[in-house]
Amino acid sequence: MPEVPALRRSVAILRHLAASNRPISAGALVRGLEIPRSSAYELLTVLEELGLVARAESGYVLGAGVHELGASYLRTNPLQRLAQPVVRQLAEETSATAQLAVIRGWETVYVLKEQSLKSVAVITATGVRMPSYLTATGRAILANLPKSEVLAMLQSETGFVTRTGKGPTSVKQLNALLAQTRRAGWAIEHGEVTPGISTIAAPVHDVLSRPIAAIGLSISEESYAQDAEPLIERVVDAAAEVTAKLR
């Protein structure tokens, strides 16, 4: 097998960062991976230029480019094909709008949308991008990612934006929402994307138990207030069904 030391060391750096929940200093990478100091700094510089790593106050974290590569992989794997009948059934059984979404960079991107004739109007058409921290699907994914990756995704953001005056406005508020989502196993947003519309979402995991997508269900806030529990259960079950299909 050909030896390409720089490539092997670069992959080792990325895997080392992926396994940590906090930034890692260049010195720690040198010691942990037994890479020459000069080589480590050169590789980190190139990886940073490519968006695969990002600098934090106390070291390096994975860059948003890593998740971009993961999202590209999604386009060639069976995720959308396997998820479509599940998403369609969810929409029909609940008379609502169901979506499948992934995260690219710091944005939620909707890759599937199914709706019944009685669905409420929402703006989650296929290809639409939204700030991941505003959407229930985005939060369902973010809550199950290492904190270092979430931090890397937000590196390019100069400030939190809102569409309706609702939603987190700081990393502290977002972390609180993500902690709540992790405990519950599902995410919710009320009118943060579309006024009067609530969206429930649950994560879809791959064979390595990594959150690669989320299934969302958009309904009126009145419907959520009346039937929250069975709707949440249905969304969680749909996400689990797609997860099972991927394994």
Side-chain angles (χ1 to χ4, degrees):
M1 182 181 294
E3 285 296 324
V4 188
L7 178 57
R8 289 183 179 277
R9 288 168 177 169
S10 296
V11 173
I13 288 172
L14 295 174
R15 286 178 171 168
H16 202 66
L17 293 175
S20 176
N21 287 328
R22 56 179 60 85
I24 302 178
S25 68
L29 289 169
V30 168
R31 294 188 296 273
L33 299 174
E34 298 183 350
I35 298 174
R37 181 173 294 274
S38 58
S39 296
Y41 279 100
E42 289 175 0
L43 293 174
L44 286 168
T45 298
V46 174
L47 290 171
E48 186 177 6
E49 289 176 357
L50 296 174
L52 298 177
V53 304
R55 294 194 196 198
E57 289 185 7
S58 57
Y60 291 85
V61 296
L62 288 179
V66 172
H67 206 81
E68 294 273 1
L69 293 175
S72 296
Y73 169 73
L74 289 180
R75 293 195 291 271
T76 60
N77 79 3
L79 173 66
Q80 289 171 242
R81 174 174 56 83
L82 294 174
Q84 187 164 23
V86 178
V87 174
R88 183 186 305 117
Q89 183 177 9
L90 176 63
E92 291 175 352
E93 290 182 353
T94 59
S95 298
T97 298
Q99 315 99 359
L100 178 74
V102 298
I103 288 182
R104 293 178 186 159
W106 55 272
E107 296 176 309
T108 298
V109 182
Y110 298 96
V111 295
L112 279 178
K113 177 181 178 180
E114 297 287 345
Q115 57 189 124
S116 72
L117 294 176
K118 298 180 181 179
S119 297
V120 293
V122 293
I123 60 172
T124 55
T126 300
V128 167
R129 294 172 176 255
M130 299 291 295
S132 58
Y133 49 79
L134 283 184
T135 68
T137 46
R139 291 176 193 166
I141 299 171
L142 292 176
N144 289 274
L145 286 173
K147 291 182 180 179
S148 58
E149 286 194 41
V150 177
L151 177 63
M153 289 177 191
L154 298 175
Q155 284 287 320
S156 61
E157 281 288 88
T158 56
F160 285 74
V161 299
T162 67
R163 286 179 51 84
T164 64
K166 298 180 179 180
T169 58
S170 67
V171 172
K172 182 178 180 180
Q173 290 181 7
L174 176 61
N175 285 338
L177 283 172
L178 297 183
Q180 182 179 357
T181 298
R182 277 191 294 273
R183 290 192 296 270
W186 52 274
I188 182 71
E189 64 91 358
H190 295 293
E192 293 168 45
V193 175
T194 304
I197 303 299
S198 295
T199 298
I200 307 161
V204 171
H205 295 86
D206 65 11
V207 68
L208 299 176
S209 297
R210 180 177 174 81
I212 58 170
I215 288 179
L217 185 70
S218 297
I219 53 178
S220 68
E221 291 184 346
E222 291 79 8
S223 295
Y224 178 83
Q226 295 171 3
D227 300 304
E229 188 171 339
L231 289 172
I232 292 167
E233 183 177 353
R234 188 65 190 87
V235 172
V236 171
D237 287 347
E241 183 176 352
V242 176
T243 295
K245 288 175 177 287
L246 292 171
R247 294 180 171 179

